Short mmCIF file of all heavy atoms in Angstrom, two decimals:
data_model
loop_
_atom_site.label_atom_id
_atom_site.label_comp_id
_atom_site.label_asym_id
_atom_site.label_seq_id
_atom_site.Cartn_x
_atom_site.Cartn_y
_atom_site.Cartn_z
N ALA H 377 -88.59 -157.74 21.08
CA ALA H 377 -88.71 -158.67 22.20
C ALA H 377 -89.94 -159.55 22.02
O ALA H 377 -90.97 -159.12 21.52
CB ALA H 377 -88.80 -157.89 23.50
N ASP H 378 -89.83 -160.79 22.46
CA ASP H 378 -90.99 -161.68 22.48
C ASP H 378 -91.95 -161.31 23.59
O ASP H 378 -93.16 -161.51 23.47
CB ASP H 378 -90.53 -163.13 22.65
CG ASP H 378 -89.70 -163.62 21.48
OD1 ASP H 378 -90.29 -164.02 20.46
OD2 ASP H 378 -88.47 -163.54 21.57
N ALA H 379 -91.40 -160.77 24.68
CA ALA H 379 -92.21 -160.31 25.80
C ALA H 379 -91.52 -159.10 26.41
O ALA H 379 -90.28 -159.02 26.43
CB ALA H 379 -92.38 -161.41 26.84
N VAL H 380 -92.31 -158.16 26.89
CA VAL H 380 -91.78 -156.94 27.49
C VAL H 380 -92.34 -156.81 28.91
O VAL H 380 -93.55 -156.86 29.11
CB VAL H 380 -92.15 -155.69 26.67
CG1 VAL H 380 -91.59 -154.43 27.34
CG2 VAL H 380 -91.64 -155.81 25.25
N VAL H 381 -91.44 -156.67 29.88
CA VAL H 381 -91.80 -156.46 31.28
C VAL H 381 -91.48 -155.00 31.59
O VAL H 381 -90.34 -154.58 31.46
CB VAL H 381 -91.01 -157.40 32.20
CG1 VAL H 381 -91.48 -157.28 33.64
CG2 VAL H 381 -91.11 -158.85 31.72
N THR H 382 -92.48 -154.23 32.00
CA THR H 382 -92.35 -152.78 32.11
C THR H 382 -92.63 -152.30 33.53
O THR H 382 -93.57 -152.77 34.18
CB THR H 382 -93.31 -152.09 31.13
OG1 THR H 382 -93.05 -152.56 29.81
CG2 THR H 382 -93.14 -150.59 31.16
N GLY H 383 -91.82 -151.35 33.99
CA GLY H 383 -92.06 -150.74 35.29
C GLY H 383 -90.95 -149.76 35.60
O GLY H 383 -89.93 -149.68 34.89
N GLU H 384 -91.12 -148.98 36.64
CA GLU H 384 -90.06 -148.09 37.10
C GLU H 384 -88.93 -148.92 37.72
O GLU H 384 -89.14 -150.04 38.19
CB GLU H 384 -90.60 -147.08 38.09
CG GLU H 384 -91.56 -146.08 37.48
CD GLU H 384 -91.94 -144.97 38.42
OE1 GLU H 384 -91.60 -145.04 39.63
OE2 GLU H 384 -92.59 -144.00 37.96
N ALA H 385 -87.73 -148.35 37.73
CA ALA H 385 -86.55 -149.11 38.16
C ALA H 385 -86.68 -149.63 39.59
O ALA H 385 -86.38 -150.80 39.87
CB ALA H 385 -85.30 -148.24 38.03
N GLY H 386 -87.13 -148.79 40.51
CA GLY H 386 -87.25 -149.22 41.90
C GLY H 386 -88.25 -150.33 42.07
O GLY H 386 -88.01 -151.31 42.81
N ALA H 387 -89.40 -150.21 41.40
CA ALA H 387 -90.42 -151.26 41.48
C ALA H 387 -89.92 -152.55 40.86
O ALA H 387 -90.16 -153.65 41.39
CB ALA H 387 -91.70 -150.79 40.78
N MET H 388 -89.21 -152.45 39.74
CA MET H 388 -88.71 -153.65 39.05
C MET H 388 -87.64 -154.35 39.89
O MET H 388 -87.67 -155.58 40.04
CB MET H 388 -88.14 -153.27 37.69
CG MET H 388 -87.76 -154.45 36.81
SD MET H 388 -89.18 -155.21 35.99
CE MET H 388 -89.49 -153.97 34.69
N ASP H 389 -86.71 -153.58 40.45
CA ASP H 389 -85.65 -154.16 41.26
C ASP H 389 -86.23 -154.88 42.48
O ASP H 389 -85.88 -156.03 42.77
CB ASP H 389 -84.68 -153.06 41.69
CG ASP H 389 -83.34 -153.60 42.17
OD1 ASP H 389 -82.99 -154.75 41.84
OD2 ASP H 389 -82.63 -152.86 42.88
N ALA H 390 -87.15 -154.21 43.18
CA ALA H 390 -87.76 -154.80 44.36
C ALA H 390 -88.58 -156.04 44.00
O ALA H 390 -88.57 -157.03 44.74
CB ALA H 390 -88.63 -153.77 45.07
N TRP H 391 -89.27 -156.01 42.86
CA TRP H 391 -90.07 -157.16 42.44
C TRP H 391 -89.17 -158.34 42.08
O TRP H 391 -89.45 -159.48 42.48
CB TRP H 391 -90.93 -156.76 41.24
CG TRP H 391 -91.64 -157.91 40.59
CD1 TRP H 391 -92.65 -158.67 41.11
CD2 TRP H 391 -91.39 -158.44 39.28
NE1 TRP H 391 -93.05 -159.64 40.21
CE2 TRP H 391 -92.29 -159.52 39.08
CE3 TRP H 391 -90.50 -158.10 38.25
CZ2 TRP H 391 -92.31 -160.26 37.90
CZ3 TRP H 391 -90.52 -158.84 37.08
CH2 TRP H 391 -91.41 -159.90 36.91
N LEU H 392 -88.09 -158.09 41.36
CA LEU H 392 -87.18 -159.17 40.98
C LEU H 392 -86.54 -159.82 42.22
O LEU H 392 -86.26 -161.02 42.23
CB LEU H 392 -86.11 -158.66 40.03
CG LEU H 392 -86.58 -158.32 38.61
CD1 LEU H 392 -85.49 -157.58 37.85
CD2 LEU H 392 -87.00 -159.58 37.86
N TRP H 393 -86.33 -159.02 43.24
CA TRP H 393 -85.77 -159.53 44.50
C TRP H 393 -86.86 -160.10 45.42
O TRP H 393 -86.57 -160.46 46.56
CB TRP H 393 -85.00 -158.43 45.22
CG TRP H 393 -83.58 -158.29 44.76
CD1 TRP H 393 -83.07 -157.37 43.88
CD2 TRP H 393 -82.47 -159.07 45.18
NE1 TRP H 393 -81.72 -157.55 43.72
CE2 TRP H 393 -81.33 -158.60 44.51
CE3 TRP H 393 -82.33 -160.16 46.06
CZ2 TRP H 393 -80.07 -159.15 44.68
CZ3 TRP H 393 -81.06 -160.71 46.24
CH2 TRP H 393 -79.95 -160.21 45.56
N GLN H 394 -88.09 -160.14 44.93
CA GLN H 394 -89.23 -160.66 45.70
C GLN H 394 -89.44 -159.88 46.99
O GLN H 394 -89.84 -160.43 48.02
CB GLN H 394 -89.05 -162.16 45.98
CG GLN H 394 -88.93 -162.98 44.71
CD GLN H 394 -88.76 -164.46 44.97
OE1 GLN H 394 -89.14 -164.96 46.01
NE2 GLN H 394 -88.19 -165.16 44.01
N ARG H 395 -89.21 -158.56 46.89
CA ARG H 395 -89.45 -157.68 48.03
C ARG H 395 -90.75 -156.90 47.89
O ARG H 395 -91.14 -156.19 48.81
CB ARG H 395 -88.29 -156.70 48.18
CG ARG H 395 -87.21 -157.11 49.18
CD ARG H 395 -86.63 -158.48 48.96
NE ARG H 395 -85.61 -158.81 49.96
CZ ARG H 395 -84.84 -159.88 49.92
NH1 ARG H 395 -84.95 -160.74 48.92
NH2 ARG H 395 -83.96 -160.11 50.88
N ARG H 396 -91.41 -157.00 46.76
CA ARG H 396 -92.73 -156.40 46.59
C ARG H 396 -93.47 -157.15 45.49
O ARG H 396 -92.86 -157.93 44.75
CB ARG H 396 -92.62 -154.90 46.25
CG ARG H 396 -91.94 -154.59 44.94
CD ARG H 396 -91.94 -153.09 44.65
NE ARG H 396 -93.29 -152.58 44.46
CZ ARG H 396 -93.57 -151.28 44.32
NH1 ARG H 396 -92.61 -150.39 44.38
NH2 ARG H 396 -94.81 -150.88 44.13
N ASP H 397 -94.78 -156.89 45.41
CA ASP H 397 -95.57 -157.61 44.41
C ASP H 397 -95.45 -156.95 43.04
O ASP H 397 -94.67 -156.00 42.85
CB ASP H 397 -97.03 -157.70 44.87
CG ASP H 397 -97.70 -156.33 45.03
OD1 ASP H 397 -97.26 -155.36 44.38
OD2 ASP H 397 -98.65 -156.25 45.84
N ASP H 398 -96.22 -157.46 42.09
CA ASP H 398 -96.12 -156.98 40.71
C ASP H 398 -97.19 -155.94 40.37
O ASP H 398 -97.50 -155.74 39.20
CB ASP H 398 -96.20 -158.15 39.73
CG ASP H 398 -97.53 -158.91 39.85
OD1 ASP H 398 -98.35 -158.57 40.71
OD2 ASP H 398 -97.72 -159.86 39.06
N ALA H 399 -97.71 -155.26 41.40
CA ALA H 399 -98.79 -154.30 41.16
C ALA H 399 -98.38 -153.20 40.19
O ALA H 399 -99.22 -152.68 39.43
CB ALA H 399 -99.26 -153.69 42.48
N ASP H 400 -97.11 -152.81 40.18
CA ASP H 400 -96.64 -151.74 39.31
C ASP H 400 -95.83 -152.27 38.13
O ASP H 400 -95.09 -151.52 37.49
CB ASP H 400 -95.80 -150.75 40.12
CG ASP H 400 -96.62 -150.03 41.17
OD1 ASP H 400 -97.76 -149.64 40.86
OD2 ASP H 400 -96.14 -149.89 42.31
N ILE H 401 -95.97 -153.56 37.85
CA ILE H 401 -95.27 -154.20 36.74
C ILE H 401 -96.30 -154.66 35.71
O ILE H 401 -97.31 -155.27 36.06
CB ILE H 401 -94.46 -155.41 37.22
CG1 ILE H 401 -93.49 -155.02 38.36
CG2 ILE H 401 -93.71 -156.06 36.06
CD1 ILE H 401 -92.44 -154.03 37.97
N THR H 402 -96.05 -154.37 34.45
CA THR H 402 -96.93 -154.85 33.39
C THR H 402 -96.15 -155.76 32.44
O THR H 402 -94.94 -155.58 32.25
CB THR H 402 -97.55 -153.70 32.59
OG1 THR H 402 -96.50 -152.93 31.97
CG2 THR H 402 -98.37 -152.78 33.49
N VAL H 403 -96.85 -156.72 31.86
CA VAL H 403 -96.22 -157.68 30.95
C VAL H 403 -97.05 -157.75 29.67
O VAL H 403 -98.28 -157.90 29.72
CB VAL H 403 -96.14 -159.08 31.58
CG1 VAL H 403 -95.49 -160.07 30.61
CG2 VAL H 403 -95.36 -159.04 32.90
N THR H 404 -96.37 -157.65 28.54
CA THR H 404 -97.02 -157.81 27.24
C THR H 404 -96.20 -158.79 26.40
O THR H 404 -95.02 -159.02 26.65
CB THR H 404 -97.12 -156.46 26.49
OG1 THR H 404 -95.80 -155.90 26.34
CG2 THR H 404 -98.00 -155.48 27.26
N GLY H 405 -96.86 -159.37 25.40
CA GLY H 405 -96.16 -160.28 24.50
C GLY H 405 -96.51 -161.73 24.71
O GLY H 405 -97.60 -162.05 25.21
N ASP H 406 -95.60 -162.60 24.36
CA ASP H 406 -95.82 -164.04 24.36
C ASP H 406 -95.88 -164.58 25.79
O ASP H 406 -94.85 -164.56 26.50
CB ASP H 406 -94.68 -164.71 23.58
CG ASP H 406 -94.91 -166.20 23.37
OD1 ASP H 406 -95.68 -166.81 24.13
OD2 ASP H 406 -94.29 -166.76 22.44
N PRO H 407 -97.01 -165.08 26.24
CA PRO H 407 -97.12 -165.58 27.62
C PRO H 407 -96.15 -166.73 27.91
O PRO H 407 -95.65 -166.85 29.04
CB PRO H 407 -98.57 -166.04 27.73
CG PRO H 407 -99.30 -165.31 26.65
CD PRO H 407 -98.31 -165.16 25.54
N ALA H 408 -95.89 -167.57 26.92
CA ALA H 408 -95.01 -168.72 27.15
C ALA H 408 -93.58 -168.28 27.44
O ALA H 408 -92.89 -168.89 28.28
CB ALA H 408 -95.04 -169.65 25.93
N VAL H 409 -93.12 -167.23 26.77
CA VAL H 409 -91.77 -166.73 27.01
C VAL H 409 -91.69 -166.12 28.40
O VAL H 409 -90.72 -166.36 29.16
CB VAL H 409 -91.38 -165.70 25.93
CG1 VAL H 409 -90.04 -165.04 26.27
CG2 VAL H 409 -91.31 -166.38 24.56
N PHE H 410 -92.69 -165.35 28.79
CA PHE H 410 -92.68 -164.79 30.14
C PHE H 410 -92.81 -165.87 31.20
O PHE H 410 -92.16 -165.80 32.25
CB PHE H 410 -93.80 -163.76 30.31
CG PHE H 410 -93.85 -163.19 31.71
CD1 PHE H 410 -92.81 -162.40 32.19
CD2 PHE H 410 -94.91 -163.49 32.56
CE1 PHE H 410 -92.84 -161.90 33.49
CE2 PHE H 410 -94.95 -162.99 33.85
CZ PHE H 410 -93.91 -162.19 34.32
#
């Protein structure tokens, strides 16, 4: 992957739906791709 977004399923689902912040989400890799 050019970028990896990591987190538990519940945190990721809620974050993608904009129901919680990204406190439990980490991002690595190419900033431009993310």
Side-chain angles (χ1 to χ4, degrees):
D378 296 277
V380 180
V381 185
T382 303
E384 292 188 352
M388 188 79 75
D389 197 21
W391 171 67
L392 289 169
W393 275 99
Q394 301 180 23
R395 264 53 181 188
R396 64 177 295 173
D397 61 26
D398 61 357
D400 295 318
I401 305 297
T402 60
V403 179
T404 57
D406 187 338
V409 173
F410 178 67

